[in-house]
Amino acid sequence: MAMAHIPTIVELEAILAEPSEQLIAEMASLEGDILVLGVGGKMGPSLAKLAVNALRRASARNRVIGVSRFSNEETRRDLEAAGVETISCNLLDDQQLQQLPDARNIIYMAGNKFGTTGNEDFTWAMNAYLPGRVAEKYRNSRIVVFSSGNVYPFSPPGLGGVSESYAPEPKGEYAQSCLGRERIFEYFSKQYSMPMVIFRLNYAIDLRYGVLLEIAKSVMNERPIRLEMGHANVIWQGDANEMALRCLSHCESPPRTINITGPETMSVRWAAAEMGKRLGKEPILEGTESDTALLSNAAQSFQLFGYPRVSLLQMIDWVAEWVRAGGYTLNKPTHFQERKGKF
């Protein structure tokens, strides 16, 4: 991961889908196929391709199947070219859901975040109703359930983030619905002795979206950066996806909760200054840091999986160069500066 910069999306996708030796070893002993529900989102395509590459390197014959509405046919073609089998499905349509194939291993990535405000009913249907239908369908599988660090209370930066032992305290309907997803899966895990991991993630990034991209674009375009949410956690998407796949070996009933993020409590002020150095611009900062922020402590994940392969400074280097070169970006803001839970 020592590249000075990543010049193209093709090379970015290749890096995101490059498995570690540890992942290859674990995939070699994995029993059954992997079904990725909600594969069409920001992280799903690279996770599915990472799984295929790890299984191939392990000389394993497990299938990787990606399920999505596939409103973007290019995503589907790209996945199939990489060796991922695809199924188009509206998961909220119970008839379509029941027709999906069985699989021993489920990566549950389906959910709704962006546009929650004004569309609360759909958010709750996706995030809290659908999990029950999926759990009934896949009661004989192990499931890694993508969730969010947004379920936690804000905490002082000096605490080093909130660990899994803290009680959830979700702010706003999106975070509340995420906790609803967790509780529904937890209920069915206990009912059917289904092994699970609750995968509490914040914030994954690559070069096309994420906290660092938003800071870099603000610096580059000389827009103010609000400091009220003065600290954040970030992790490279490839590292987060790798940990999700490795969580298949750590599923338990009742579910095991694992925080996934980077090791640093990153100062937004500091990150803006670092971007400014690389982009030749002086950051415009607005407001002052609050006493608390949304922060997670991921020490348990590092004990299980080791530290992320891509460091914070490496991410900053890559994102700054991507923005300088005018690289393609997704229009999917993280809203990491949101303090009232309105997404």
Side-chain angles (χ1 to χ4, degrees):
M1 298 293 181
M3 293 178 64
H5 70 286
I6 303 173
T8 67
I9 289 178
V10 171
E11 287 166 287
L12 170 60
E13 290 287 349
I15 288 172
L16 289 171
E18 179 62 28
S20 70
E21 292 303 318
Q22 294 91 336
L23 178 60
I24 294 166
E26 291 183 22
M27 290 294 101
S29 59
L30 184 73
E31 296 181 2
D33 297 331
I34 299 173
L35 185 71
V36 185
L37 297 177
V39 76
K42 298 193 306 292
M43 298 178 66
S46 60
L47 180 143
K49 288 186 276 189
L50 175 66
V52 167
N53 289 345
L55 288 164
R56 284 175 176 167
R57 295 267 290 276
S59 300
R61 301 175 65 87
N62 316 56
R63 301 153 65 205
V64 178
I65 305 165
V67 178
S68 172
R69 287 187 180 90
F70 288 115
S71 54
N72 184 340
E73 274 298 316
E74 185 179 346
T75 299
R76 185 171 192 170
R77 290 193 297 269
D78 180 55
L79 284 168
E80 291 178 346
V84 180
E85 299 178 32
T86 64
I87 300 174
S88 181
C89 175
N90 175 3
L91 293 171
L92 283 174
D93 184 319
D94 202 59
Q95 185 175 1
Q96 293 184 41
L97 173 64
Q98 297 308 320
Q99 291 173 350
L100 292 176
D102 292 334
R104 184 72 184 88
N105 307 287
I106 309 297
I107 306 290
Y108 185 87
M109 307 182 81
N112 188 58
K113 176 179 179 180
F114 301 106
T116 294
T117 300
N119 200 23
E120 290 84 358
D121 55 342
F122 177 73
T123 297
W124 280 92
M126 283 297 298
N127 292 355
Y129 166 76
L130 180 59
R133 304 305 303 141
V134 169
E136 285 276 15
K137 163 75 174 173
Y138 290 106
R139 66 179 69 179
N140 297 316
S141 304
R142 66 172 66 90
I143 306 182
V144 175
V145 178
F146 269 64
S147 188
S148 171
N150 283 83
V151 302
Y152 286 128
F154 291 176
S155 62
L159 185 67
V162 175
S163 72
E164 296 88 347
S165 64
Y166 277 69
E169 195 176 311
K171 186 183 294 287
E173 290 211 39
Y174 164 68
Q176 291 164 8
S177 71
C178 287
L179 182 59
R181 170 172 52 211
E182 292 187 11
R183 295 305 192 210
I184 296 299
F185 271 119
E186 181 182 9
Y187 170 79
F188 284 100
S189 173
K190 292 175 179 177
Q191 284 290 105
Y192 298 130
S193 298
M194 299 169 63
M196 288 184 189
V197 163
I198 303 297
F199 189 86
R200 286 183 180 160
L201 172 66
N202 69 304
Y203 287 98
I205 75 153
D206 75 17
L207 307 185
R208 296 162 293 189
Y209 77 95
V211 173
L212 293 179
L213 175 67
E214 291 167 30
I215 292 172
K217 286 175 68 176
S218 292
V219 172
M220 187 70 174
N221 297 322
E222 300 179 354
R223 295 197 303 261
I225 298 169
R226 290 165 41 209
L227 292 177
E228 288 87 351
M229 188 73 85
H231 297 81
N233 304 125
V234 296
I235 185 170
W236 181 243
Q237 180 184 300
D239 287 317
N241 279 340
E242 165 136 348
M243 291 178 184
L245 290 169
R246 293 183 65 189
C247 277
L248 288 168
S249 300
H250 297 276
C251 292
E252 301 174 357
S253 178
R256 181 172 191 167
T257 299
I258 303 178
N259 289 347
I260 302 293
T261 195
E264 296 91 355
T265 298
M266 184 190 75
S267 159
V268 173
R269 182 187 296 271
W270 171 85
E274 291 296 315
M275 289 297 183
K277 293 175 188 176
R278 290 157 176 77
L279 296 171
K281 301 265 189 171
E282 188 67 30
I284 301 171
L285 305 176
E286 193 174 81
T288 58
E289 290 85 348
S290 302
D291 293 336
T292 59
L294 181 67
L295 298 165
S296 295
N297 183 314
Q300 179 190 191
S301 72
F302 307 141
Q303 183 180 38
L304 294 172
F305 309 123
Y307 284 91
R309 291 185 291 169
V310 179
S311 69
L312 177 55
L313 282 176
Q314 180 70 86
M315 288 186 269
I316 289 174
D317 287 342
W318 284 347
V319 170
E321 186 56 35
W322 189 262
V323 169
R324 183 199 300 279
Y328 170 77
T329 60
L330 301 172
N331 184 26
K332 292 187 176 180
T334 63
H335 300 286
F336 79 94
Q337 294 162 317
E338 175 60 47
R339 295 188 64 86
K340 295 182 179 180
K342 294 183 178 180
F343 294 94

